[in-house]
Amino acid sequence: MIWGLVQILLFQGIGELISQFALPTLPGPVIGLVLLILWLALRKGINADLAMVADGFSQYFGLLFVPAAVGVVLFLPQLKANALAIICALVGSVILTIASAAIVVRFLSLEKSSHD
């Protein structure tokens, strides 16, 4: 189990270093997560220690929403004042996400059918 935690922290640390020195616009944990996924894809699997730590973390994902909920309550007056802009941004982003996903699926399905 310790080795799984070391792996996660190692990739997060590498991501932080890359973020500080090469890609300052991307958060270090995101870079580390991408590197970890690439590493696992190259190894074609996940070891038992890393799986155990990931399962342990996933049981407590709900706690990650507590700070966000506190932030929403804290900034409620600003949210009310900008409600229309926030709703427009949310609806627009959902529409763009669905449209871009549809385009990617259509592109991939055309590519797959041409190979058959």
Side-chain angles (χ1 to χ4, degrees):
M1 184 166 166
I2 295 296
W3 176 240
L5 188 59
V6 167
Q7 288 175 1
I8 291 173
L9 293 175
L10 176 72
F11 279 99
Q12 182 177 356
I14 293 169
E16 288 288 348
L17 286 172
I18 292 172
S19 175
Q20 288 294 319
F21 296 111
L23 300 169
T25 58
L26 291 175
V30 172
I31 296 170
L33 180 63
V34 170
L35 292 174
L36 178 61
I37 291 170
L38 291 173
W39 172 251
L40 293 175
L42 287 174
R43 292 186 60 215
K44 294 183 172 55
I46 183 171
N47 61 28
D49 288 334
L50 187 59
M52 186 183 308
V53 172
D55 288 340
F57 280 159
S58 66
Q59 293 176 359
Y60 300 102
F61 275 159
L63 290 175
L64 297 176
F65 295 105
V66 172
V70 170
V72 167
V73 172
L74 183 66
F75 292 105
L76 200 55
Q78 289 88 347
L79 291 173
K80 285 181 181 177
N82 298 307
L84 182 62
I86 292 170
I87 290 170
C88 289
L90 288 173
V91 169
S93 65
V94 167
I95 291 170
L96 288 174
T97 300
I98 292 171
S100 62
I103 290 169
V104 169
V105 167
R106 175 171 266 179
F107 174 75
L108 292 176
S109 65
L110 289 175
E111 199 172 274
K112 184 179 179 185
S113 65
S114 67
H115 291 306
D116 291 339

